[in-house]
Amino acid sequence: MAIEVGQCVPEVVLSDLAGRPVALDAYRGRKVILFTWASW
Amino acid sequence: MDAQGPERVKPYAIEAKASYPVLVDQDNVLGALFGFKAIPNVFVVDEQGVVRYKRLSTFTIKKPEIRDELLDVLTRSAAPEEGAAPLVATAPNEAARIFAAGVRQYQAGRVAEAIALWHQARQLDPDNFIVRKQMWAVGNPDKFYPRIDFDWQKERLDRGE
């Protein structure tokens, strides 16, 4: 069951490049473009 | 997305001169949440945390119609009645759970065990290219770093691997 347009993103915490945790919630109040990529 | 962590990702962020925050999703949490099985993907999340746009696997800023689509979503302000639809929480599927278990093994330095688990995840979710390519990149770094050998990948895909 994947998130669809119109649904709220649940709490997600990922690390930044320095290893510090960043919650997606921290961007609440701003529009966010989430672009997912990989090195491979 | 990279099980190999920030050290693997950093050179690419530097090369791209990324002026935006770069986060590393080692467990493929976003793939499981948003249901994507390949990269790249783009989502727009509005001020209230609601997903307003999603394009899976086929995003490219180079196509004018896709760029316009994205700009349109970014400039549109949400109507007040456009609240968030409730999200039904679901447990991660078996393949996602096994993939994440493989990441734990990889992080503990047990590469062979990690690859064995990723192989299991790939069998449960055969069209998942995130699982497959992560497994290939860790097992065959010379085919991915510093440059991806696409012919090598095509040969493996042709053999049904």
Side-chain angles (χ1 to χ4, degrees), chain B residues 8-43:
Chain B
R8 179 55 89 192
V9 175
K10 239 181 242 172
Y12 295 87
I14 292 167
E15 194 183 328
K17 299 187 174 65
S19 57
Y20 39 82
V22 177
L23 307 178
V24 187
D25 183 3
Q26 287 188 250
D27 291 341
N28 195 26
V29 169
L30 295 179
L33 265 180
F34 285 99
F36 58 77
K37 297 191 180 201
I39 49 117
N41 308 284
V42 165
F43 308 91

PDB file of all heavy atoms in Angstrom, chain B residues 8-43:
ATOM      1  N   ARG B   8      29.518   6.848   0.293  1.00  0.00           N
ATOM      2  CA  ARG B   8      29.326   6.467  -1.104  1.00  0.00           C
ATOM      3  C   ARG B   8      28.595   7.571  -1.878  1.00  0.00           C
ATOM      4  O   ARG B   8      28.843   7.793  -3.055  1.00  0.00           O
ATOM      5  CB  ARG B   8      28.527   5.144  -1.148  1.00  0.00           C
ATOM      6  CG  ARG B   8      28.211   4.624  -2.511  1.00  0.00           C
ATOM      7  CD  ARG B   8      29.449   4.449  -3.369  1.00  0.00           C
ATOM      8  NE  ARG B   8      30.072   3.151  -3.246  1.00  0.00           N
ATOM      9  CZ  ARG B   8      31.289   2.874  -3.726  1.00  0.00           C
ATOM     10  NH1 ARG B   8      31.989   3.818  -4.332  1.00  0.00           N
ATOM     11  NH2 ARG B   8      31.803   1.662  -3.590  1.00  0.00           N
ATOM     12  N   VAL B   9      27.712   8.277  -1.174  1.00  0.00           N
ATOM     13  CA  VAL B   9      26.830   9.259  -1.819  1.00  0.00           C
ATOM     14  C   VAL B   9      27.529  10.615  -2.029  1.00  0.00           C
ATOM     15  O   VAL B   9      27.317  11.288  -3.033  1.00  0.00           O
ATOM     16  CB  VAL B   9      25.560   9.451  -0.954  1.00  0.00           C
ATOM     17  CG1 VAL B   9      24.666  10.541  -1.512  1.00  0.00           C
ATOM     18  CG2 VAL B   9      24.792   8.129  -0.839  1.00  0.00           C
ATOM     19  N   LYS B  10      28.360  10.979  -1.057  1.00  0.00           N
ATOM     20  CA  LYS B  10      28.964  12.318  -1.027  1.00  0.00           C
ATOM     21  C   LYS B  10      29.589  12.777  -2.355  1.00  0.00           C
ATOM     22  O   LYS B  10      29.296  13.883  -2.805  1.00  0.00           O
ATOM     23  CB  LYS B  10      30.028  12.366   0.084  1.00  0.00           C
ATOM     24  CG  LYS B  10      29.734  13.424   1.133  1.00  0.00           C
ATOM     25  CD  LYS B  10      30.821  13.453   2.178  1.00  0.00           C
ATOM     26  CE  LYS B  10      30.249  13.098   3.532  1.00  0.00           C
ATOM     27  NZ  LYS B  10      31.282  12.924   4.560  1.00  0.00           N
ATOM     28  N   PRO B  11      30.440  11.950  -3.001  1.00  0.00           N
ATOM     29  CA  PRO B  11      31.076  12.430  -4.237  1.00  0.00           C
ATOM     30  C   PRO B  11      30.070  12.843  -5.308  1.00  0.00           C
ATOM     31  O   PRO B  11      30.316  13.795  -6.064  1.00  0.00           O
ATOM     32  CB  PRO B  11      31.887  11.228  -4.711  1.00  0.00           C
ATOM     33  CG  PRO B  11      32.040  10.334  -3.527  1.00  0.00           C
ATOM     34  CD  PRO B  11      30.882  10.598  -2.632  1.00  0.00           C
ATOM     35  N   TYR B  12      28.929  12.158  -5.353  1.00  0.00           N
ATOM     36  CA  TYR B  12      27.912  12.471  -6.365  1.00  0.00           C
ATOM     37  C   TYR B  12      27.222  13.793  -6.045  1.00  0.00           C
ATOM     38  O   TYR B  12      26.913  14.575  -6.943  1.00  0.00           O
ATOM     39  CB  TYR B  12      26.873  11.343  -6.450  1.00  0.00           C
ATOM     40  CG  TYR B  12      27.478  10.051  -6.940  1.00  0.00           C
ATOM     41  CD1 TYR B  12      28.067   9.158  -6.046  1.00  0.00           C
ATOM     42  CD2 TYR B  12      27.491   9.744  -8.292  1.00  0.00           C
ATOM     43  CE1 TYR B  12      28.644   7.984  -6.487  1.00  0.00           C
ATOM     44  CE2 TYR B  12      28.067   8.568  -8.742  1.00  0.00           C
ATOM     45  CZ  TYR B  12      28.643   7.692  -7.831  1.00  0.00           C
ATOM     46  OH  TYR B  12      29.224   6.536  -8.276  1.00  0.00           O
ATOM     47  N   ALA B  13      26.984  14.030  -4.753  1.00  0.00           N
ATOM     48  CA  ALA B  13      26.363  15.288  -4.337  1.00  0.00           C
ATOM     49  C   ALA B  13      27.306  16.453  -4.646  1.00  0.00           C
ATOM     50  O   ALA B  13      26.870  17.525  -5.082  1.00  0.00           O
ATOM     51  CB  ALA B  13      26.030  15.246  -2.851  1.00  0.00           C
ATOM     52  N   ILE B  14      28.604  16.215  -4.451  1.00  0.00           N
ATOM     53  CA  ILE B  14      29.597  17.266  -4.737  1.00  0.00           C
ATOM     54  C   ILE B  14      29.660  17.519  -6.243  1.00  0.00           C
ATOM     55  O   ILE B  14      29.622  18.654  -6.696  1.00  0.00           O
ATOM     56  CB  ILE B  14      30.989  16.868  -4.173  1.00  0.00           C
ATOM     57  CG1 ILE B  14      30.934  16.879  -2.634  1.00  0.00           C
ATOM     58  CG2 ILE B  14      32.084  17.796  -4.693  1.00  0.00           C
ATOM     59  CD1 ILE B  14      32.119  16.221  -1.945  1.00  0.00           C
ATOM     60  N   GLU B  15      29.704  16.433  -7.034  1.00  0.00           N
ATOM     61  CA  GLU B  15      29.776  16.560  -8.491  1.00  0.00           C
ATOM     62  C   GLU B  15      28.551  17.302  -9.039  1.00  0.00           C
ATOM     63  O   GLU B  15      28.652  18.076  -9.983  1.00  0.00           O
ATOM     64  CB  GLU B  15      29.890  15.168  -9.126  1.00  0.00           C
ATOM     65  CG  GLU B  15      30.319  15.218 -10.586  1.00  0.00           C
ATOM     66  CD  GLU B  15      30.355  13.837 -11.237  1.00  0.00           C
ATOM     67  OE1 GLU B  15      30.642  12.855 -10.521  1.00  0.00           O
ATOM     68  OE2 GLU B  15      30.091  13.749 -12.446  1.00  0.00           O
ATOM     69  N   ALA B  16      27.385  17.042  -8.421  1.00  0.00           N
ATOM     70  CA  ALA B  16      26.142  17.686  -8.872  1.00  0.00           C
ATOM     71  C   ALA B  16      26.014  19.109  -8.329  1.00  0.00           C
ATOM     72  O   ALA B  16      25.057  19.805  -8.659  1.00  0.00           O
ATOM     73  CB  ALA B  16      24.946  16.852  -8.428  1.00  0.00           C
ATOM     74  N   LYS B  17      26.996  19.528  -7.512  1.00  0.00           N
ATOM     75  CA  LYS B  17      26.957  20.847  -6.856  1.00  0.00           C
ATOM     76  C   LYS B  17      25.605  21.042  -6.173  1.00  0.00           C
ATOM     77  O   LYS B  17      24.950  22.100  -6.327  1.00  0.00           O
ATOM     78  CB  LYS B  17      27.217  21.971  -7.861  1.00  0.00           C
ATOM     79  CG  LYS B  17      28.593  21.885  -8.536  1.00  0.00           C
ATOM     80  CD  LYS B  17      28.841  23.133  -9.380  1.00  0.00           C
ATOM     81  CE  LYS B  17      30.243  23.187  -9.970  1.00  0.00           C
ATOM     82  NZ  LYS B  17      30.532  22.114 -10.948  1.00  0.00           N
ATOM     83  N   ALA B  18      25.173  20.047  -5.425  1.00  0.00           N
ATOM     84  CA  ALA B  18      23.850  20.074  -4.788  1.00  0.00           C
ATOM     85  C   ALA B  18      23.760  21.229  -3.799  1.00  0.00           C
ATOM     86  O   ALA B  18      24.533  21.304  -2.841  1.00  0.00           O
ATOM     87  CB  ALA B  18      23.587  18.741  -4.081  1.00  0.00           C
ATOM     88  N   SER B  19      22.808  22.122  -4.045  1.00  0.00           N
ATOM     89  CA  SER B  19      22.624  23.283  -3.165  1.00  0.00           C
ATOM     90  C   SER B  19      21.437  23.032  -2.230  1.00  0.00           C
ATOM     91  O   SER B  19      21.011  23.916  -1.504  1.00  0.00           O
ATOM     92  CB  SER B  19      22.360  24.521  -4.023  1.00  0.00           C
ATOM     93  OG  SER B  19      21.233  24.286  -4.849  1.00  0.00           O
ATOM     94  N   TYR B  20      20.917  21.805  -2.270  1.00  0.00           N
ATOM     95  CA  TYR B  20      19.740  21.415  -1.491  1.00  0.00           C
ATOM     96  C   TYR B  20      20.163  20.319  -0.511  1.00  0.00           C
ATOM     97  O   TYR B  20      21.216  19.688  -0.694  1.00  0.00           O
ATOM     98  CB  TYR B  20      18.653  20.895  -2.449  1.00  0.00           C
ATOM     99  CG  TYR B  20      19.224  20.066  -3.580  1.00  0.00           C
ATOM    100  CD1 TYR B  20      19.538  18.717  -3.384  1.00  0.00           C
ATOM    101  CD2 TYR B  20      19.516  20.630  -4.826  1.00  0.00           C
ATOM    102  CE1 TYR B  20      20.099  17.964  -4.393  1.00  0.00           C
ATOM    103  CE2 TYR B  20      20.084  19.887  -5.841  1.00  0.00           C
ATOM    104  CZ  TYR B  20      20.365  18.548  -5.619  1.00  0.00           C
ATOM    105  OH  TYR B  20      20.945  17.802  -6.614  1.00  0.00           O
ATOM    106  N   PRO B  21      19.370  20.070   0.527  1.00  0.00           N
ATOM    107  CA  PRO B  21      19.736  19.015   1.473  1.00  0.00           C
ATOM    108  C   PRO B  21      19.743  17.642   0.790  1.00  0.00           C
ATOM    109  O   PRO B  21      18.846  17.337   0.013  1.00  0.00           O
ATOM    110  CB  PRO B  21      18.629  19.072   2.535  1.00  0.00           C
ATOM    111  CG  PRO B  21      17.980  20.410   2.363  1.00  0.00           C
ATOM    112  CD  PRO B  21      18.141  20.782   0.922  1.00  0.00           C
ATOM    113  N   VAL B  22      20.773  16.860   1.051  1.00  0.00           N
ATOM    114  CA  VAL B  22      20.863  15.499   0.520  1.00  0.00           C
ATOM    115  C   VAL B  22      20.779  14.539   1.711  1.00  0.00           C
ATOM    116  O   VAL B  22      21.593  14.606   2.629  1.00  0.00           O
ATOM    117  CB  VAL B  22      22.182  15.280  -0.252  1.00  0.00           C
ATOM    118  CG1 VAL B  22      22.295  13.827  -0.725  1.00  0.00           C
ATOM    119  CG2 VAL B  22      22.269  16.229  -1.450  1.00  0.00           C
ATOM    120  N   LEU B  23      19.768  13.692   1.697  1.00  0.00           N
ATOM    121  CA  LEU B  23      19.567  12.720   2.780  1.00  0.00           C
ATOM    122  C   LEU B  23      19.793  11.324   2.227  1.00  0.00           C
ATOM    123  O   LEU B  23      19.508  11.056   1.058  1.00  0.00           O
ATOM    124  CB  LEU B  23      18.148  12.845   3.342  1.00  0.00           C
ATOM    125  CG  LEU B  23      17.723  14.254   3.780  1.00  0.00           C
ATOM    126  CD1 LEU B  23      16.282  14.252   4.273  1.00  0.00           C
ATOM    127  CD2 LEU B  23      18.650  14.774   4.873  1.00  0.00           C
ATOM    128  N   VAL B  24      20.304  10.448   3.069  1.00  0.00           N
ATOM    129  CA  VAL B  24      20.635   9.097   2.617  1.00  0.00           C
ATOM    130  C   VAL B  24      19.651   8.098   3.219  1.00  0.00           C
ATOM    131  O   VAL B  24      19.555   7.959   4.435  1.00  0.00           O
ATOM    132  CB  VAL B  24      22.081   8.724   3.022  1.00  0.00           C
ATOM    133  CG1 VAL B  24      22.467   7.382   2.395  1.00  0.00           C
ATOM    134  CG2 VAL B  24      23.058   9.807   2.584  1.00  0.00           C
ATOM    135  N   ASP B  25      18.931   7.436   2.321  1.00  0.00           N
ATOM    136  CA  ASP B  25      17.920   6.458   2.738  1.00  0.00           C
ATOM    137  C   ASP B  25      18.543   5.062   2.629  1.00  0.00           C
ATOM    138  O   ASP B  25      18.419   4.396   1.615  1.00  0.00           O
ATOM    139  CB  ASP B  25      16.696   6.603   1.820  1.00  0.00           C
ATOM    140  CG  ASP B  25      15.563   5.677   2.202  1.00  0.00           C
ATOM    141  OD1 ASP B  25      15.697   4.965   3.219  1.00  0.00           O
ATOM    142  OD2 ASP B  25      14.553   5.654   1.480  1.00  0.00           O
ATOM    143  N   GLN B  26      19.211   4.624   3.672  1.00  0.00           N
ATOM    144  CA  GLN B  26      19.957   3.366   3.594  1.00  0.00           C
ATOM    145  C   GLN B  26      19.055   2.136   3.558  1.00  0.00           C
ATOM    146  O   GLN B  26      19.414   1.117   3.001  1.00  0.00           O
ATOM    147  CB  GLN B  26      20.941   3.261   4.774  1.00  0.00           C
ATOM    148  CG  GLN B  26      22.113   4.200   4.588  1.00  0.00           C
ATOM    149  CD  GLN B  26      23.205   3.991   5.624  1.00  0.00           C
ATOM    150  OE1 GLN B  26      23.403   4.830   6.477  1.00  0.00           O
ATOM    151  NE2 GLN B  26      23.911   2.884   5.541  1.00  0.00           N
ATOM    152  N   ASP B  27      17.879   2.226   4.183  1.00  0.00           N
ATOM    153  CA  ASP B  27      16.988   1.058   4.268  1.00  0.00           C
ATOM    154  C   ASP B  27      15.923   1.026   3.174  1.00  0.00           C
ATOM    155  O   ASP B  27      15.060   0.154   3.195  1.00  0.00           O
ATOM    156  CB  ASP B  27      16.269   1.061   5.632  1.00  0.00           C
ATOM    157  CG  ASP B  27      17.215   0.777   6.772  1.00  0.00           C
ATOM    158  OD1 ASP B  27      18.310   0.241   6.502  1.00  0.00           O
ATOM    159  OD2 ASP B  27      16.872   1.095   7.922  1.00  0.00           O
ATOM    160  N   ASN B  28      15.957   1.991   2.252  1.00  0.00           N
ATOM    161  CA  ASN B  28      14.906   2.095   1.232  1.00  0.00           C
ATOM    162  C   ASN B  28      13.524   2.286   1.869  1.00  0.00           C
ATOM    163  O   ASN B  28      12.529   1.712   1.419  1.00  0.00           O
ATOM    164  CB  ASN B  28      14.913   0.872   0.311  1.00  0.00           C
ATOM    165  CG  ASN B  28      14.107   1.097  -0.951  1.00  0.00           C
ATOM    166  OD1 ASN B  28      13.933   2.229  -1.392  1.00  0.00           O
ATOM    167  ND2 ASN B  28      13.581   0.026  -1.524  1.00  0.00           N
ATOM    168  N   VAL B  29      13.479   3.107   2.898  1.00  0.00           N
ATOM    169  CA  VAL B  29      12.224   3.433   3.577  1.00  0.00           C
ATOM    170  C   VAL B  29      11.261   4.130   2.603  1.00  0.00           C
ATOM    171  O   VAL B  29      10.071   3.818   2.545  1.00  0.00           O
ATOM    172  CB  VAL B  29      12.506   4.372   4.782  1.00  0.00           C
ATOM    173  CG1 VAL B  29      11.218   4.945   5.352  1.00  0.00           C
ATOM    174  CG2 VAL B  29      13.274   3.622   5.862  1.00  0.00           C
ATOM    175  N   LEU B  30      11.816   5.075   1.806  1.00  0.00           N
ATOM    176  CA  LEU B  30      10.950   5.830   0.895  1.00  0.00           C
ATOM    177  C   LEU B  30      10.398   4.942  -0.215  1.00  0.00           C
ATOM    178  O   LEU B  30       9.257   5.101  -0.629  1.00  0.00           O
ATOM    179  CB  LEU B  30      11.712   7.021   0.304  1.00  0.00           C
ATOM    180  CG  LEU B  30      12.143   8.091   1.301  1.00  0.00           C
ATOM    181  CD1 LEU B  30      12.909   9.201   0.590  1.00  0.00           C
ATOM    182  CD2 LEU B  30      10.948   8.686   2.044  1.00  0.00           C
ATOM    183  N   GLY B  31      11.207   3.995  -0.678  1.00  0.00           N
ATOM    184  CA  GLY B  31      10.737   3.073  -1.714  1.00  0.00           C
ATOM    185  C   GLY B  31       9.536   2.283  -1.225  1.00  0.00           C
ATOM    186  O   GLY B  31       8.546   2.118  -1.947  1.00  0.00           O
ATOM    187  N   ALA B  32       9.618   1.799   0.017  1.00  0.00           N
ATOM    188  CA  ALA B  32       8.512   1.026   0.584  1.00  0.00           C
ATOM    189  C   ALA B  32       7.288   1.924   0.808  1.00  0.00           C
ATOM    190  O   ALA B  32       6.160   1.529   0.535  1.00  0.00           O
ATOM    191  CB  ALA B  32       8.947   0.378   1.899  1.00  0.00           C
ATOM    192  N   LEU B  33       7.526   3.173   1.265  1.00  0.00           N
ATOM    193  CA  LEU B  33       6.417   4.089   1.544  1.00  0.00           C
ATOM    194  C   LEU B  33       5.687   4.541   0.279  1.00  0.00           C
ATOM    195  O   LEU B  33       4.468   4.543   0.226  1.00  0.00           O
ATOM    196  CB  LEU B  33       6.947   5.357   2.219  1.00  0.00           C
ATOM    197  CG  LEU B  33       6.935   5.452   3.724  1.00  0.00           C
ATOM    198  CD1 LEU B  33       7.499   6.805   4.143  1.00  0.00           C
ATOM    199  CD2 LEU B  33       5.535   5.278   4.271  1.00  0.00           C
ATOM    200  N   PHE B  34       6.485   4.926  -0.720  1.00  0.00           N
ATOM    201  CA  PHE B  34       5.887   5.499  -1.931  1.00  0.00           C
ATOM    202  C   PHE B  34       5.652   4.460  -3.024  1.00  0.00           C
ATOM    203  O   PHE B  34       5.075   4.773  -4.058  1.00  0.00           O
ATOM    204  CB  PHE B  34       6.770   6.620  -2.478  1.00  0.00           C
ATOM    205  CG  PHE B  34       6.699   7.900  -1.689  1.00  0.00           C
ATOM    206  CD1 PHE B  34       7.680   8.218  -0.758  1.00  0.00           C
ATOM    207  CD2 PHE B  34       5.645   8.787  -1.875  1.00  0.00           C
ATOM    208  CE1 PHE B  34       7.618   9.400  -0.034  1.00  0.00           C
ATOM    209  CE2 PHE B  34       5.579   9.969  -1.163  1.00  0.00           C
ATOM    210  CZ  PHE B  34       6.567  10.281  -0.233  1.00  0.00           C
ATOM    211  N   GLY B  35       6.122   3.249  -2.801  1.00  0.00           N
ATOM    212  CA  GLY B  35       5.862   2.174  -3.756  1.00  0.00           C
ATOM    213  C   GLY B  35       6.676   2.249  -5.032  1.00  0.00           C
ATOM    214  O   GLY B  35       6.237   1.773  -6.059  1.00  0.00           O
ATOM    215  N   PHE B  36       7.887   2.830  -4.978  1.00  0.00           N
ATOM    216  CA  PHE B  36       8.689   2.814  -6.208  1.00  0.00           C
ATOM    217  C   PHE B  36       9.694   1.666  -6.169  1.00  0.00           C
ATOM    218  O   PHE B  36      10.139   1.244  -5.107  1.00  0.00           O
ATOM    219  CB  PHE B  36       9.350   4.168  -6.491  1.00  0.00           C
ATOM    220  CG  PHE B  36      10.268   4.705  -5.416  1.00  0.00           C
ATOM    221  CD1 PHE B  36      11.545   4.212  -5.258  1.00  0.00           C
ATOM    222  CD2 PHE B  36       9.848   5.738  -4.587  1.00  0.00           C
ATOM    223  CE1 PHE B  36      12.402   4.728  -4.295  1.00  0.00           C
ATOM    224  CE2 PHE B  36      10.692   6.265  -3.609  1.00  0.00           C
ATOM    225  CZ  PHE B  36      11.970   5.752  -3.473  1.00  0.00           C
ATOM    226  N   LYS B  37      10.016   1.161  -7.372  1.00  0.00           N
ATOM    227  CA  LYS B  37      10.900  -0.003  -7.488  1.00  0.00           C
ATOM    228  C   LYS B  37      12.090   0.287  -8.374  1.00  0.00           C
ATOM    229  O   LYS B  37      12.784  -0.626  -8.830  1.00  0.00           O
ATOM    230  CB  LYS B  37      10.114  -1.189  -8.028  1.00  0.00           C
ATOM    231  CG  LYS B  37       8.987  -1.618  -7.080  1.00  0.00           C
ATOM    232  CD  LYS B  37       8.385  -2.932  -7.464  1.00  0.00           C
ATOM    233  CE  LYS B  37       7.286  -3.297  -6.473  1.00  0.00           C
ATOM    234  NZ  LYS B  37       7.014  -4.734  -6.481  1.00  0.00           N
ATOM    235  N   ALA B  38      12.281   1.552  -8.713  1.00  0.00           N
ATOM    236  CA  ALA B  38      13.426   1.976  -9.516  1.00  0.00           C
ATOM    237  C   ALA B  38      13.626   3.455  -9.225  1.00  0.00           C
ATOM    238  O   ALA B  38      12.813   4.079  -8.546  1.00  0.00           O
ATOM    239  CB  ALA B  38      13.148   1.752 -11.002  1.00  0.00           C
ATOM    240  N   ILE B  39      14.715   4.015  -9.728  1.00  0.00           N
ATOM    241  CA  ILE B  39      14.944   5.448  -9.581  1.00  0.00           C
ATOM    242  C   ILE B  39      15.121   6.032 -10.981  1.00  0.00           C
ATOM    243  O   ILE B  39      15.417   5.274 -11.910  1.00  0.00           O
ATOM    244  CB  ILE B  39      16.172   5.750  -8.690  1.00  0.00           C
ATOM    245  CG1 ILE B  39      17.370   4.915  -9.166  1.00  0.00           C
ATOM    246  CG2 ILE B  39      15.901   5.481  -7.237  1.00  0.00           C
ATOM    247  CD1 ILE B  39      18.502   5.699  -9.663  1.00  0.00           C
ATOM    248  N   PRO B  40      14.987   7.332 -11.227  1.00  0.00           N
ATOM    249  CA  PRO B  40      14.672   8.372 -10.244  1.00  0.00           C
ATOM    250  C   PRO B  40      13.163   8.600 -10.104  1.00  0.00           C
ATOM    251  O   PRO B  40      12.393   8.268 -10.984  1.00  0.00           O
ATOM    252  CB  PRO B  40      15.332   9.606 -10.852  1.00  0.00           C
ATOM    253  CG  PRO B  40      15.190   9.403 -12.338  1.00  0.00           C
ATOM    254  CD  PRO B  40      15.266   7.910 -12.567  1.00  0.00           C
ATOM    255  N   ASN B  41      12.766   9.194  -8.984  1.00  0.00           N
ATOM    256  CA  ASN B  41      11.365   9.525  -8.711  1.00  0.00           C
ATOM    257  C   ASN B  41      11.289  10.938  -8.154  1.00  0.00           C
ATOM    258  O   ASN B  41      12.236  11.397  -7.511  1.00  0.00           O
ATOM    259  CB  ASN B  41      10.784   8.568  -7.668  1.00  0.00           C
ATOM    260  CG  ASN B  41      11.019   7.125  -8.051  1.00  0.00           C
ATOM    261  OD1 ASN B  41      10.355   6.588  -8.924  1.00  0.00           O
ATOM    262  ND2 ASN B  41      12.004   6.501  -7.416  1.00  0.00           N
ATOM    263  N   VAL B  42      10.156  11.577  -8.394  1.00  0.00           N
ATOM    264  CA  VAL B  42       9.960  12.919  -7.840  1.00  0.00           C
ATOM    265  C   VAL B  42       8.590  13.014  -7.174  1.00  0.00           C
ATOM    266  O   VAL B  42       7.596  12.497  -7.699  1.00  0.00           O
ATOM    267  CB  VAL B  42      10.094  14.005  -8.930  1.00  0.00           C
ATOM    268  CG1 VAL B  42       9.532  15.332  -8.451  1.00  0.00           C
ATOM    269  CG2 VAL B  42      11.556  14.201  -9.282  1.00  0.00           C
ATOM    270  N   PHE B  43       8.571  13.639  -6.017  1.00  0.00           N
ATOM    271  CA  PHE B  43       7.330  13.896  -5.285  1.00  0.00           C
ATOM    272  C   PHE B  43       7.334  15.361  -4.873  1.00  0.00           C
ATOM    273  O   PHE B  43       8.401  15.922  -4.614  1.00  0.00           O
ATOM    274  CB  PHE B  43       7.263  13.047  -4.004  1.00  0.00           C
ATOM    275  CG  PHE B  43       7.514  11.591  -4.276  1.00  0.00           C
ATOM    276  CD1 PHE B  43       8.790  11.075  -4.201  1.00  0.00           C
ATOM    277  CD2 PHE B  43       6.473  10.764  -4.650  1.00  0.00           C
ATOM    278  CE1 PHE B  43       9.033   9.741  -4.488  1.00  0.00           C
ATOM    279  CE2 PHE B  43       6.696   9.427  -4.942  1.00  0.00           C
ATOM    280  CZ  PHE B  43       7.976   8.916  -4.855  1.00  0.00           C
TER     281      PHE B  43
END
